[in-house]
Amino acid sequence: MSIPATEDTETNTVELSRETIARVDISDQLSDVLALPEHLRDALWRVESAIMQGWDTSAGLVVAGMGGSAIGGALARAALGDHASRPIFVTRAYGLPPWTTPDTMVLCASYSGNTEETLACYESAGALGAQRVVVTTGGRLAEMARADGVPVIPLPGGFQPRAAVAYMTVAALEVAALCGAGPRLTSEIDVAASHAEQLVAEWGPDANEGSLAKEIAASLLGSIPVIAGAGLTAPIAYRWKTQINENAKLPAFAHELPELDHNEIIGWEGAESVGRFAAVFLDDSDAHPRVKARMELTEKLIADHATASLHLETRGQTAIERIFSLVLLGDLVSLYLAVLRGVDPGPVEMIERLKSELAQR
Ligand code: F6R
């Protein structure tokens, strides 16, 4: 079934050239997205120069952060997959998991260094006597860490926090290796940077209008994207959702297989009666064969209820290459979608407003 365009449905009349993008993307978020390969390499160098020691934290690693600073922990955990030798947990909250002990490594990740949930986790980790490392550009977090003699991985300033995804992922991967929670993936990260360079050329603004990222953005225009991942791609689906929220200023939702086959799949039955929803499935060459079969069937069953149904697959050999292929694709799609909608992808006024109003309470 195709869902007819209503009068106020957005339609694509914009060509996605560097010039048209620059007219809308006032703070040049595009350059930060395209620089992902350099960010991967620079992040390795920054971790190596900031941390000269290793730890043996037998209780594993907790990554504490919010939003664009937390996603790196989730992607790192996905990249390590079965190779993680100790628990790796991401907390997006005011506190650490109750099982945190002095034998846990706590990586506090905050791009600004002023996110109150992350500052609270930093303090709780200190009170528990857990080993701490901080990754930030500065703020209160850097101040406290320097005063406490806690190692700081310094990040370059001037980005939107969500544009530092490669930095945050590499920091979490390297800290996981340094505390005994996983193998060192330094050379895989370097190879993934070269792989991402090829994809930047293939999907970037100089590619033709029929190139993958531009085509996906055009097909999502006018709909609410509902993104599905599984295993390795589950945190990538969440990254797509949050990038579409923050860059394109749209609602978007993410869920994962196999769980969504036990609930969300039914919700699609009523989708057209309330709005325009597009389905995006993020697949991976190494996914569990039963999950692959589920993804194919789910897509078939819901296709008639969606304005568009897209099945995308990771590209590359190693887990890191594959993860960053779809992270890059989603970042570009969200940015192109912003431009097609005529909205500046940079500002996140509502987030800023909430933080400042909350600070008054
Ligand atoms: C903004 C963004 C947000 C922030 C979040 C936490 O670009 O992505 O999700 O990451 O509000 O702030 P930081 O990262 O400064 O700790």
Side-chain angles (χ1 to χ4, degrees):
M1 176 200 294
S2 73
I3 297 173
T6 54
E7 256 174 57
D8 48 11
T9 295
E10 296 167 305
T11 45
N12 181 15
T13 49
V14 180
E15 196 201 337
L16 287 164
S17 64
R18 279 196 189 257
E19 295 67 41
T20 53
I21 296 170
R23 250 177 259 143
V24 180
D25 178 18
I26 307 302
S27 56
D28 192 18
Q29 295 300 304
L30 177 66
S31 292
D32 295 341
V33 171
L34 300 179
L36 185 131
E38 291 99 86
H39 293 182
L40 286 168
R41 296 192 186 103
D42 185 38
L44 277 177
W45 180 84
R46 283 170 184 268
V47 178
E48 262 166 44
S49 5
I51 302 183
M52 306 292 170
Q53 65 195 108
W55 301 269
D56 184 16
T57 52
S58 59
L61 167 68
V62 172
V63 180
M66 298 304 302
S69 291
I71 190 70
L75 294 171
R77 191 180 46 187
L80 287 167
D82 293 344
H83 301 288
S85 42
R86 287 173 181 167
I88 300 176
F89 186 84
V90 181
T91 180
R92 295 167 164 108
Y94 282 91
L96 298 168
W99 42 261
T100 310
T101 73
D103 266 335
T104 309
M105 165 61 77
V106 179
L107 171 64
C108 296
S110 170
Y111 185 79
S112 63
N114 289 319
T115 297
E116 63 176 44
E117 298 94 317
T118 316
L119 294 173
C121 288
Y122 175 87
E123 287 182 333
S124 307
L128 277 168
Q131 185 61 57
R132 292 176 289 183
V133 171
V134 153
V135 55
T136 187
T137 54
R140 183 86 192 102
L141 190 59
E143 260 169 43
M144 290 199 293
R146 296 217 161 93
D148 296 337
V150 166
V152 176
I153 301 166
L155 297 181
F159 298 148
Q160 273 292 333
R162 59 190 182 278
V165 59
Y167 283 100
M168 292 298 186
T169 310
V170 171
L173 281 170
E174 290 286 281
V175 171
L178 287 164
C179 74
R184 199 106 203 246
L185 295 178
T186 315
S187 54
E188 279 90 337
I189 295 168
D190 212 41
V191 171
S194 308
H195 183 248
E197 258 162 13
Q198 295 164 25
L199 298 176
V200 162
E202 196 177 321
W203 298 332
D206 305 323
N208 64 47
E209 291 302 296
S211 58
L212 189 63
K214 292 182 182 180
E215 216 170 61
I216 297 170
S219 64
L220 295 180
L221 188 65
S223 303
I224 296 169
V226 180
I227 304 128
L232 182 99
T233 64
I236 311 176
Y238 188 70
R239 170 71 177 178
W240 274 58
K241 168 215 148 34
T242 58
Q243 289 292 84
I244 291 168
N245 295 151
E246 294 180 64
N247 288 338
K249 278 78 180 166
L250 281 174
F253 300 92
H255 201 352
E256 60 186 279
L257 288 140
E259 174 65 13
L260 75 79
D261 279 350
H262 300 272
N263 35 65
E264 188 176 285
I265 191 170
I266 299 294
W268 280 98
E269 285 179 14
E272 317 102 286
S273 66
V274 288
R276 296 172 52 86
F277 295 89
V280 182
F281 291 90
L282 302 183
D283 203 351
D284 178 46
S285 50
D286 200 34
H288 189 291
R290 299 299 292 164
V291 168
K292 274 195 166 292
R294 279 178 177 277
M295 209 178 259
E296 230 171 79
L297 276 172
T298 309
E299 190 182 350
K300 197 175 97 189
L301 288 168
I302 65 154
D304 283 353
H305 305 286
T307 56
S309 181
L310 310 173
H311 191 120
L312 308 166
E313 181 134 354
T314 52
R315 298 257 302 263
Q317 300 295 318
T318 66
I320 307 204
E321 278 181 326
R322 302 199 316 274
I323 285 176
F324 278 104
S325 69
L326 282 190
V327 167
L328 175 68
L329 185 63
D331 285 8
L332 284 168
V333 165
S334 65
L335 201 130
Y336 294 156
L337 194 52
V339 174
L340 294 179
R341 301 191 65 237
V343 301
D344 183 353
V348 283
E349 277 160 26
M350 207 96 87
I351 296 179
E352 308 296 348
R353 206 168 119 196
L354 184 128
K355 286 183 181 177
S356 86
E357 286 187 23
L358 196 62
Q360 312 302 314
R361 296 200 176 193

Coordinates of all heavy atoms in Angstrom, one line a residue, residues 65-70 109-115 118 159-163 168 239 243 246 346 348 351-352 355, ligand 1:
G65 N 27.6 8.3 31.2 CA 27.4 9.5 30.3 C 26.0 9.7 29.9 O 25.1 8.8 30.2
M66 N 25.7 10.7 29.2 CA 24.4 11.0 28.7 C 24.5 11.3 27.2 O 25.4 11.9 26.7 CB 23.7 12.2 29.4 CG 23.6 12.0 30.9 SD 22.6 10.5 31.4 CE 21.1 10.8 30.6
G67 N 23.4 11.0 26.4 CA 23.2 11.4 25.1 C 24.4 11.1 24.2 O 25.0 10.0 24.2
G68 N 24.9 12.1 23.5 CA 26.0 12.0 22.6 C 27.3 11.5 23.2 O 28.2 11.0 22.6
S69 N 27.4 11.6 24.6 CA 28.6 11.2 25.3 C 28.5 9.7 25.7 O 29.5 9.1 26.0 CB 28.9 12.1 26.5 OG 29.3 13.4 26.0
A70 N 27.2 9.2 25.8 CA 27.0 7.9 26.3 C 27.1 6.8 25.1 O 27.5 5.7 25.3 CB 25.7 7.7 27.0
A109 N 32.1 10.0 30.9 CA 32.2 10.6 29.6 C 31.3 11.8 29.5 O 30.0 11.6 29.5 CB 31.9 9.6 28.5
S110 N 31.8 13.0 29.3 CA 30.9 14.1 29.1 C 31.7 15.1 28.3 O 32.7 15.7 28.7 CB 30.5 14.8 30.4 OG 29.9 16.1 30.2
Y111 N 31.1 15.4 27.1 CA 31.8 16.3 26.2 C 32.0 17.7 26.8 O 33.1 18.2 26.9 CB 31.1 16.4 24.8 CG 31.9 17.3 23.8 CD1 32.9 16.7 23.1 CD2 31.6 18.6 23.6 CE1 33.7 17.5 22.3 CE2 32.3 19.4 22.8 CZ 33.4 18.8 22.1 OH 34.1 19.6 21.2
S112 N 31.0 18.2 27.4 CA 31.1 19.6 28.0 C 31.8 19.5 29.3 O 32.4 20.5 29.8 CB 29.7 20.1 28.2 OG 28.9 19.3 29.1
G113 N 31.6 18.4 30.0 CA 32.1 18.3 31.4 C 31.2 18.9 32.4 O 31.6 19.0 33.6
N114 N 30.0 19.2 32.0 CA 29.1 19.9 32.9 C 27.7 19.2 33.0 O 26.8 19.8 33.5 CB 28.9 21.3 32.5 CG 30.1 22.1 32.7 OD1 30.8 22.0 33.8 ND2 30.5 23.0 31.8
T115 N 27.7 18.0 32.6 CA 26.4 17.3 32.6 C 26.1 16.7 34.0 O 26.9 15.9 34.5 CB 26.4 16.2 31.5 OG1 26.5 16.8 30.3 CG2 25.1 15.3 31.5
T118 N 26.3 12.9 34.9 CA 27.7 12.3 34.8 C 28.5 12.8 36.0 O 29.3 12.0 36.5 CB 28.3 12.7 33.4 OG1 27.3 12.6 32.4 CG2 29.5 11.9 33.1
F159 N 32.9 21.2 19.0 CA 31.9 20.3 18.4 C 30.6 20.4 19.1 O 30.6 20.7 20.3 CB 32.3 18.8 18.4 CG 33.6 18.5 17.7 CD1 34.4 17.4 18.2 CD2 34.0 19.1 16.6 CE1 35.5 17.1 17.6 CE2 35.2 18.8 15.9 CZ 35.9 17.7 16.4
Q160 N 29.5 20.0 18.5 CA 28.4 19.5 19.2 C 28.8 18.2 19.9 O 29.4 17.4 19.2 CB 27.2 19.3 18.2 CG 26.4 20.5 18.0 CD 25.6 21.0 19.2 OE1 25.3 20.2 20.1 NE2 25.4 22.3 19.2
P161 N 28.4 17.9 21.1 CA 28.8 16.7 21.8 C 28.6 15.4 20.9 O 29.4 14.5 20.9 CB 28.0 16.7 23.0 CG 27.7 18.1 23.4 CD 27.6 18.8 22.1
R162 N 27.4 15.4 20.2 CA 27.1 14.2 19.4 C 28.1 14.0 18.3 O 28.1 12.9 17.7 CB 25.7 14.3 18.9 CG 25.4 15.5 18.0 CD 23.9 15.6 17.8 NE 23.5 16.7 16.9 CZ 23.3 18.0 17.3 NH1 23.6 18.3 18.5 NH2 22.9 18.9 16.4
A163 N 28.8 15.0 17.8 CA 29.8 14.9 16.8 C 31.1 14.3 17.2 O 31.9 13.9 16.4 CB 30.0 16.3 16.1
M168 N 34.4 9.3 21.6 CA 33.9 8.7 22.8 C 34.0 7.1 22.7 O 34.2 6.4 23.7 CB 32.4 9.1 23.0 CG 32.3 10.5 23.4 SD 33.1 10.9 25.0 CE 32.6 12.6 25.3
R239 N 21.5 5.3 17.8 CA 22.3 6.5 17.3 C 21.5 7.1 16.1 O 21.4 8.4 16.1 CB 23.7 6.0 16.8 CG 24.5 7.1 16.1 CD 25.0 8.2 17.0 NE 25.8 9.1 16.2 CZ 26.3 10.2 16.8 NH1 26.1 10.5 18.0 NH2 27.1 11.0 16.0
Q243 N 20.3 11.0 16.3 CA 20.8 11.9 15.3 C 19.6 12.5 14.5 O 19.6 13.7 14.2 CB 21.8 11.3 14.4 CG 23.1 10.9 15.0 CD 23.9 12.2 15.4 OE1 23.6 12.8 16.4 NE2 24.8 12.6 14.5
E246 N 18.1 15.1 16.9 CA 18.8 16.3 17.2 C 19.2 17.1 15.9 O 19.2 18.3 15.9 CB 20.1 16.0 18.0 CG 19.8 15.5 19.4 CD 21.0 15.2 20.2 OE1 21.8 16.2 20.5 OE2 21.2 14.1 20.6
G346 N 22.5 22.1 13.5 CA 23.4 22.4 14.6 C 22.7 22.6 16.0 O 22.9 21.8 16.9
V348 N 20.6 22.8 19.4 CA 19.7 21.9 20.1 C 19.1 22.8 21.3 O 19.4 22.5 22.4 CB 20.4 20.6 20.6 CG1 20.6 19.7 19.5 CG2 21.8 21.0 21.3
I351 N 17.3 21.3 24.4 CA 18.2 20.6 25.4 C 18.9 21.7 26.2 O 18.9 21.6 27.5 CB 19.3 19.8 24.7 CG1 18.7 18.6 23.9 CG2 20.3 19.3 25.7 CD1 19.7 17.7 23.1
E352 N 19.4 22.8 25.6 CA 20.0 23.8 26.3 C 19.1 24.5 27.3 O 19.4 24.8 28.5 CB 20.5 25.0 25.4 CG 21.4 24.5 24.2 CD 22.7 23.9 24.6 OE1 23.0 24.0 25.8 OE2 23.4 23.3 23.8
K355 N 18.4 22.3 30.3 CA 19.5 22.2 31.2 C 19.6 23.5 32.0 O 19.8 23.5 33.2 CB 20.9 22.0 30.5 CG 21.1 20.6 29.9 CD 22.4 20.5 29.3 CE 22.6 19.0 28.7 NZ 23.9 18.8 28.0
Ligands
F6R1 C1 24.3 17.4 22.0 C2 24.1 16.1 22.4 C3 23.5 15.8 23.8 C4 24.6 15.8 24.8 C5 24.1 15.5 26.2 C6 25.1 15.4 27.3 O1 24.9 17.5 20.7 O2 24.4 15.2 21.7 O3 22.9 14.5 23.7 O4 25.6 14.8 24.5 O5 23.2 16.5 26.6 O6 26.0 16.5 27.3 P1 27.6 16.2 27.3 O7 27.9 15.4 26.1 O8 28.2 17.6 27.2 O9 27.8 15.5 28.6

